[in-house]
Amino acid sequence: MGLTTHVLDTAHGCPAAGLRVTLQRWNGTTLQTLRSVTLNDDGRNPDGPLLDGAALQAGRYRLEFEVAAYFRARGVVLPEPPFLDRVAIDFGVADPGAHYHVPLLVSPWSYATYRGS
């Protein structure tokens, strides 16, 4: 069923259009970058699932969200260094046949995630 994400900007009350996201897979103690995308106007990958079908395998993954760059591009003045620069979410895929949805709710000062549906 695949792996998807959706990012909502809680500071502005809208989807995080233009935010860069990188998907990586853990191979032992190293990370392999699988793809990087820029989110569309709905805060989602414009090409659909980040991984789909056989590309989604059991294992450990990381989604890295470039939140400081996103908020600066929106005109938010952030300190240097920013409180949140990049948000990395490490998660596991136990059943590659299931749908894994990893949403992010984010502001310059906080974030939350959960396994969505």
Side-chain angles (χ1 to χ4, degrees):
M1 298 242 339
L3 169 65
T4 57
T5 191
H6 184 207
V7 182
L8 297 175
D9 172 346
T10 58
H12 296 99
C14 62
L19 190 140
R20 292 282 299 162
V21 179
T22 299
L23 172 64
Q24 299 172 307
R25 180 179 166 91
W26 284 98
N27 291 317
T29 59
T30 61
L31 283 166
Q32 172 191 6
T33 298
L34 302 177
R35 67 186 302 188
S36 293
V37 300
T38 300
L39 301 181
N40 65 15
D41 289 345
D42 194 36
R44 300 174 190 270
N45 179 23
D47 300 325
L50 294 167
L51 290 177
D52 207 4
L56 182 61
Q57 301 172 4
R60 294 172 39 224
Y61 292 84
R62 170 177 287 178
L63 280 170
E64 188 171 271
F65 302 87
E66 296 182 23
V67 297
Y70 163 79
F71 283 111
R72 284 186 173 126
R74 292 221 30 162
V76 177
V77 177
L78 300 176
E80 188 55 48
F83 182 68
L84 295 176
D85 187 3
R86 293 184 170 107
V87 171
I89 299 172
D90 291 341
F91 62 96
V93 170
D95 177 5
H99 180 211
Y100 285 79
H101 182 63
V102 184
L104 180 70
L105 309 174
V106 68
S107 81
W109 313 278
S110 66
Y111 68 93
T113 191
Y114 54 93
R115 180 170 176 192
S117 56

